[in-house]
Amino acid sequence: MSSLEDLPLRPDLVGQKPYGAPQLAVPVQLNVNENTFGIPESVALDIVKELAAEVMSLNRYPDREFVELRSLFAKYLGFNLSSENLWAANGSNEVLTQVFQAFGGPQTLALSFGPTYSMYPNIARLTLTPYRELPREAEFELSPGYVANAISEAKPGLVILCNPNNPTGTPISLEVIRAAYDSFEGILVVDEAYAEFNDGESAISLLPGRPRLLVSRTMSKAFAFAGARVGYLAADGAVVDALRLVRLPYHLSALTQAAARAALGHADRMLENVERIKVQRDRIIERTRDLGLQPYRSSANFVLVAGFNDPEAVFDGLLSAGVIVRNVGIPGTLRITAGTEAETTKLLRELEPLLG
Ligand SMILES: *Cc1c(COP(=O)(O)O)cnc(C)c1O
């Protein structure tokens, strides 16, 4: 085998590393914010039934417009949305890539507030979009005045706000989103990957009268469907028309559409563990604070905990004990996903002796 250096690679990819958290076979996996409860068996059987019904017609291309699935997403979200307001792709990472393909590009500055989701700069790079990350305020919070000023000064064409923010867990208020929208003429994306864990209101309520506002969601987190790769977006119908210009034809397979339809048909059951996960999240906050650490407030299914003298040593110690968390590179911190009660108990028990 020859090496990457021997190939005439696109110049801007030279020296880049593939993105992704380590995938290790560890008993307690609290590193990528999955719903660790898994899928109820009765729902799984229904998904299999829907998949089976598709298999005989896999010789045909799938519905390119996946209208039925978009209607189901509209119904799930409420807010008087209809299928014209909905779009979907293979994970919200693909949805966001399509958004950058349609609205970004070399002439358009994309702006976000960091630390935030590490895929944003990657997606910007892949779509040749210049990207800038301005710092968040104290405790990783964002206020309307700060965001409005930053946008007015930076003059971006695309702004992406993560609510609640990954990796900090911080929620933002609808006032921040209104202020951001009113501060420029470009596209405002609110990434609500963790919306179901957030007690605050969704930016979807702000869509009427705001054609440049896009709200992205995913089935990967609360919905316990990360392996199926389904993300979606709610926006004005014209935005959906723009995304049609950049999507590859038939990008959502018939099997993906069928699985997502079946899962959405059981939304209540798929989401039944959200409250339990929130209890474990709050337990992680309380207990790590008792241990002398500094957890940040979180409206998601994970907690960013600061105050580790040696986060790498704690990460390694937990890993040896069969628990994987995430070192996101913020000094002195680790990010911990809230799992089941038993997983959280194991995590907290293994954590204590590692604090020295
Ligand atoms: C996990 C995550 C996503 C996307 O995940 P998909 O699995 O691609 O849907 C998007 N945004 C944020 C902030 C996330 O944490």
Side-chain angles (χ1 to χ4, degrees), residues 32-33 90-94 96 117 120 162 164 166 191 193-194 217-221 226 229-231:
V32 287
N33 302 339
N90 299 283
S92 57
N93 283 334
E94 185 176 60
L96 295 174
Y117 188 39
Y120 301 154
C162 191
N166 182 8
D191 181 348
Y194 301 94
R217 294 277 190 104
T218 180
M219 296 182 83
S220 294
K221 308 290 163 58
R229 310 305 301 129
V230 188

Side-chain angles (χ1 to χ4, degrees), residues 88-105:
N90 299 283
S92 57
N93 283 334
E94 185 176 60
V95 172
L96 295 174
T97 302
Q98 292 172 340
V99 168
F100 273 67
Q101 286 176 319
F103 298 106

Side-chain angles (χ1 to χ4, degrees), residues 228-252:
R229 310 305 301 129
V230 188
Y232 54 106
L233 173 139
D236 190 276
V239 169
V240 173
D241 286 337
L243 298 178
R244 275 192 188 92
L245 299 175
V246 297
R247 64 108 173 83
L248 298 173
Y250 318 110
H251 69 286
L252 264 193

Side-chain angles (χ1 to χ4, degrees), residues 139-356:
E139 304 278 302
F140 304 125
E141 302 283 333
L142 286 177
S143 64
Y146 179 82
V147 166
N149 271 333
I151 293 174
S152 305
E153 276 175 29
K155 301 191 178 22
L158 195 161
V159 172
I160 183 158
L161 298 174
C162 191
N163 183 36
N165 186 49
N166 182 8
T168 64
T170 325
I172 52 175
S173 68
L174 292 192
E175 284 70 55
V176 171
I177 294 159
R178 276 196 213 96
Y181 189 88
D182 293 339
S183 305
F184 76 135
E185 299 294 318
I187 293 291
L188 175 60
V189 184
V190 182
D191 181 348
E192 294 192 348
Y194 301 94
E196 289 89 350
F197 299 105
N198 186 4
D199 294 327
E201 215 182 334
S202 166
I204 294 171
S205 66
L206 300 178
L207 285 177
R210 290 187 179 83
R212 298 177 288 109
L213 176 62
L214 286 56
V215 183
S216 86
R217 294 277 190 104
T218 180
M219 296 182 83
S220 294
K221 308 290 163 58
F223 235 96
F225 222 41
R229 310 305 301 129
V230 188
Y232 54 106
L233 173 139
D236 190 276
V239 169
V240 173
D241 286 337
L243 298 178
R244 275 192 188 92
L245 299 175
V246 297
R247 64 108 173 83
L248 298 173
Y250 318 110
H251 69 286
L252 264 193
S253 86
L255 298 177
T256 303
Q257 294 183 39
R261 287 197 309 265
L264 276 168
H266 296 283
D268 290 354
R269 303 258 349 251
M270 295 291 277
L271 293 169
E272 70 187 359
N273 293 311
V274 164
E275 289 307 315
R276 290 187 188 102
I277 293 166
K278 285 161 67 180
V279 168
Q280 298 310 313
R281 170 195 71 199
D282 294 341
R283 184 177 161 215
I284 293 169
I285 291 176
E286 244 178 71
R287 181 68 187 138
T288 54
R289 191 178 286 136
D290 286 348
L291 291 171
L293 298 163
Q294 290 97 49
Y296 290 93
R297 79 168 174 139
S298 172
S299 295
N301 66 336
F302 57 85
V303 183
L304 184 73
V305 182
F308 293 104
N309 294 324
D310 190 349
E312 269 161 52
V314 175
F315 177 93
D316 291 340
L318 287 173
L319 192 56
S320 314
V323 180
I324 187 165
V325 297
R326 187 86 179 263
N327 184 348
V328 294
I330 302 173
T333 71
L334 290 171
R335 193 194 67 189
I336 304 168
T337 305
T340 63
E341 183 176 2
E343 287 169 329
T344 307
T345 300
K346 165 91 174 155
L347 159 84
L348 293 171
R349 189 184 303 138
E350 301 295 349
L351 183 61
E352 191 173 354
L354 294 171
L355 297 177

